[in-house]
């Protein structure tokens, strides 16, 4: 058996979709275990661009079983729109399994998400406003509705009645429009009917696949620095995008998780608010943003851009057990005279090598950099490590030295073919 966990090792948007798609060609099963349609995975192949949000990236291959596991919060309307969109573009044969324990996102979640953000004013999180936080809050508060209940009309009706009463109270307090039970029920029961054939006990299915020695790829969403527990709280998402969360969020025993591939950009980006020590502005930020097309897949917001932060990468390695690194968007850095990598921070005059727990401290750290020569050559056609310019090779070696993780893969462009594998990942 071989399992491989893919985690974002920065603040999300590292290119997990591309790596998952690339490695999925060898996988039997692809699992999304947390988050929802706040994620945006862009995949490019055969000249076609696909933007996936909640559907796993193995969906393009009819031989792959795609699992949306129990740790996800799924917006039924959006998930169906995504599936219909894929079908319209010729992706008609696919295998999809949705956990009966996954929670559903209803329209009041998005309304509350937006209202909380507005209420917080300049302390807002900068969420995707897809209702992710409020849906996970309902789960923790034990008033969430799960797929298993959603697809049973009478059970859904009963649960929606109770939950909607509570939610309407919250909406009233915030001065927002309430939701009408009959309207929500009528619309969402239609989605439930359509989703029902996909719903099952996905943990059981995973156990069968493990027994068959299948190759299982766990596709992360967001990134370690956005983890509810270990990220830059409160500027985080409401689930845990770490390797450690995969067993819990998919129902697979921890002992089956051995390899964790951390995905990182050759630089750093962040969307939404919160501390970002290596953030750049001015011409250099624009250069990287435009070359890397750094605009949100979901919200289209321009992403904040910065130098590579190895303190954050080391933190992600430690928290997530990352033992391989995939370096993405490497070609974006071509054309620069020099490059900087952050190897430590300074806080109150002291050198620190980890992420402070509080926003108060984290916003005060100063990044300490090493400077490396850049390279001018276009590297988008490179097919091996040896073909890289010396300065680009040195950049990779320096990352390995600072993070103590081997770079197993690097990417020099958006196409599947522009992925250079340096080490076999699926054993
Ligand atoms: P939420 O997940 O919509 O609640 O947003 C919380 C924070 O996580 C915000 O800063 C978002 O920008 C960020 N976030 C959520 N999903 C992603 C993602 O897929 N990529 C990058 N950032 C994300």
């Amino acid at each position: 058996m071989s399992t491989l966990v893919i985690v974002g090792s920065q603040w999300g948007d590292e290119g997990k979709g591309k790596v998952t798609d690339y490695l999925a060609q060898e996988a039997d099963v692809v699992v999304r275990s947390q988050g929802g349609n706040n994620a945006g995975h862009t995949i490019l192949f055969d000249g076609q661009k696909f933007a996936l949000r909640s559907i796993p990236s193995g969906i393009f291959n009819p031989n792959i079983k795609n699992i949306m596991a129990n740790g996800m919060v799924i917006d039924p309307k959006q998930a169906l729109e995504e599936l219909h969109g894929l079908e319209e573009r010729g992706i008609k044969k696919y295998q999809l399994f949705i956990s009966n324990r996954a929670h559903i996102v209803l329209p009041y979640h998005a309304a509350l998400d937006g209202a909380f953000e507005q209420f917080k004013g300049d302390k807002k999180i900068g969420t995707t406003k897809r209702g992710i936080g409020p849906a996970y809050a309902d789960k923790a508060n034990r008033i969430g509705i799960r797929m298993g209940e959603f697809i049973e009309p009478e059970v859904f009706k009963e649960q929606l009645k109770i939950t909607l009463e509570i939610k309407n109270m919250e909406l009233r307090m915030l001065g927002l429009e309430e939701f009408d039970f009959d309207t929500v029920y009528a619309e969402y029961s239609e989605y439930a009917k359509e989703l029902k054939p996909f719903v099952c006990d996905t943990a059981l299915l995973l156990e069968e696949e493990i027994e068959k020695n299948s190759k299982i790829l766990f596709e992360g969403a967001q990134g370690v620095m956005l983890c509810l527990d270990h990220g830059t709280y409160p500027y985080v998402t409401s689930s845990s995008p770490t390797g450690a969360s995969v067993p819990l969020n998919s129902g697979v025993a921890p002992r089956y998780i051995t390899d964790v591939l951390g995905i990182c950009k050759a630089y750093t980006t962040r969307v939404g608010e919160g501390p970002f020590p290596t953030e750049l502005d001015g011409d250099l930020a624009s250069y990287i943003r435009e070359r890397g097309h750094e605009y949100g897949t979901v919200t289209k917001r321009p992403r904040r851009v910065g130098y590579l932060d190895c303190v954050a990468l080391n933190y992600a390695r430690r928290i997530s057990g990352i033992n391989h690194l995939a370096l993405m968007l490497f070609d974006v850095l071509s054309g620069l005279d020099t490059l900087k990598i952050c190897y430590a921070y300074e806080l109150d005059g002291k050198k620190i090598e980890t992420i402070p727990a509080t926003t108060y401290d984290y916003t005060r750290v100063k990044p300490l950099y090493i400077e490396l020569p850049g390279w001018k050559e276009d590297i988008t056609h490179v097919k091996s490590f040896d073909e890289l310019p010396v300065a680009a090779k040195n950049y990779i070696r320096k990352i390995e030295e600072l993070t103590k993780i081997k770079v197993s893969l690097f990417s020099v462009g958006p196409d599947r073919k522009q992925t250079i594998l340096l080490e076999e990942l699926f054993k």
Side-chain angles (χ1 to χ4, degrees):
M1 196 237 356
S2 172
T3 58
L4 181 66
V5 172
I6 291 184
V7 296
S9 57
Q10 296 162 317
W11 277 277
D13 306 316
E14 297 92 349
K16 293 178 293 290
K18 185 188 168 187
V19 178
T20 310
D21 169 64
Y22 179 78
L23 294 172
Q25 297 173 74
E26 284 181 62
D28 302 301
V29 184
V30 175
V31 187
R32 259 289 300 268
S33 61
Q34 44 75 224
N37 65 343
N38 48 349
H41 292 167
T42 311
I43 291 167
L44 199 83
F45 66 91
D46 296 340
Q48 286 205 78
K49 190 172 170 183
F50 294 90
L52 296 175
R53 308 249 307 265
S54 51
I55 305 291
S57 301
I59 201 77
F60 306 104
N61 184 334
N63 300 320
I64 294 178
K65 293 191 171 78
N66 288 278
I67 293 182
M68 296 167 80
N70 57 283
M72 285 190 79
V73 287
I74 301 167
D75 179 332
K77 181 178 183 174
Q78 185 280 323
L80 283 166
E81 274 168 13
E82 201 173 327
L83 276 180
H84 295 158
L86 289 169
E87 284 163 11
E88 276 161 25
R89 293 178 65 187
I91 315 298
K92 292 193 171 120
K93 277 194 185 163
Y94 53 79
Q95 297 187 61
L96 181 66
F97 304 86
I98 303 177
S99 169
N100 46 13
R101 290 180 172 84
H103 279 248
I104 62 163
V105 181
L106 285 157
Y108 47 75
H109 290 126
L112 287 167
D113 198 352
F116 292 147
E117 283 286 270
Q118 209 178 346
F119 191 73
K120 285 183 199 140
D122 63 1
K123 292 274 183 293
K124 71 175 193 296
I125 309 294
T127 74
T128 58
K129 297 194 183 148
R130 297 301 187 268
I132 304 299
Y136 276 117
D138 280 3
K139 172 178 175 177
N141 210 11
R142 290 147 300 173
I143 53 166
I145 301 176
R146 304 188 304 174
M147 272 294 167
E149 286 97 25
F150 178 55
I151 56 167
E152 297 303 331
E154 287 311 309
V155 184
F156 175 43
K157 189 185 270 178
E158 202 179 314
Q159 288 208 345
L160 183 68
K161 263 199 184 124
I162 301 167
T163 305
L164 196 57
E165 220 168 291
I166 301 171
K167 295 288 121 181
N168 275 340
M169 250 176 338
E170 284 178 32
L171 291 163
R172 253 197 318 275
M173 265 165 28
L174 291 161
L176 293 173
E177 215 173 298
E178 295 177 37
F179 283 85
D180 172 58
F181 172 82
D182 291 330
T183 314
V184 178
Y185 182 70
E187 180 182 350
Y188 278 75
S189 337
E190 288 306 310
Y191 304 143
K193 262 187 235 158
E194 216 180 321
L195 285 175
K196 191 168 179 167
F198 301 113
V199 178
C200 64
D201 186 338
T202 53
L204 213 53
L205 178 64
L206 277 168
E207 191 191 17
E208 283 164 21
E209 292 298 325
I210 286 170
E211 274 169 12
K212 282 198 286 185
N213 275 340
S214 298
K215 287 182 173 178
I216 305 172
L217 196 63
F218 293 91
E219 171 183 20
Q222 291 88 43
V224 174
M225 298 298 284
L226 288 171
C227 171
L228 180 61
D229 278 78
H230 298 284
T232 49
Y233 190 89
Y235 300 98
V236 292
T237 190
S238 297
S239 64
S240 173
T242 65
S245 88
V246 167
L248 178 72
N249 286 326
S250 61
V252 162
R255 68 193 163 97
Y256 294 121
I257 309 296
T258 48
D259 287 295
V260 182
L261 174 65
I263 317 296
C264 74
K265 280 180 181 163
Y267 45 95
T268 312
T269 62
R270 174 164 204 174
V271 273
E273 309 303 317
F276 183 0
T278 64
E279 185 166 12
L280 291 164
D281 55 19
D283 291 347
L284 186 51
S286 306
Y287 181 82
I288 295 176
R289 184 176 300 112
E290 295 315 313
R291 284 178 60 89
H293 309 291
E294 295 296 354
Y295 294 88
T297 321
V298 177
T299 57
K300 313 286 176 231
R301 289 179 285 182
R303 292 180 185 139
R304 298 158 69 192
V305 170
Y307 284 124
L308 186 67
D309 184 341
C310 280
V311 181
L313 276 184
N314 262 314
Y315 184 75
R317 170 183 54 75
R318 190 154 58 77
I319 297 297
S320 248
I322 295 171
N323 57 349
H324 307 273
L325 210 56
L327 191 68
M328 310 304 288
L329 290 121
F330 197 27
D331 56 301
V332 171
L333 296 184
S334 291
L336 297 171
D337 291 329
T338 53
L339 289 162
K340 286 184 184 178
I341 301 180
C342 168
Y343 66 93
Y345 302 141
E346 198 182 283
L347 178 64
D348 297 332
K350 284 195 198 115
K351 183 176 155 192
I352 58 164
E353 290 177 347
T354 189
I355 307 293
T358 65
T359 304
Y360 170 69
D361 280 342
Y362 202 22
T363 42
R364 291 183 305 118
V365 304
K366 289 189 188 69
L368 302 176
Y369 290 112
I370 47 156
E371 208 165 308
L372 299 171
W375 60 93
K376 296 285 177 201
E377 296 89 333
D378 172 17
I379 57 169
T380 53
H381 302 291
V382 158
K383 296 266 178 292
S384 68
F385 182 83
D386 289 342
E387 285 175 46
L388 285 171
V390 175
K393 283 182 191 161
N394 288 341
Y395 192 76
I396 291 187
R397 293 295 175 235
K398 188 50 86 178
I399 295 169
E400 292 184 324
E401 182 193 317
L402 292 172
T403 60
K404 301 179 224 56
I405 324 171
K406 189 173 171 1
V407 172
S408 304
L409 176 162
F410 68 90
S411 165
V412 290
D415 203 89
R416 266 184 192 168
K417 296 186 196 91
Q418 292 169 298
T419 311
I420 291 91
L421 197 61
L422 304 175
E423 182 193 24
E424 204 184 330
L425 285 164
F426 251 136
K427 301 197 181 70

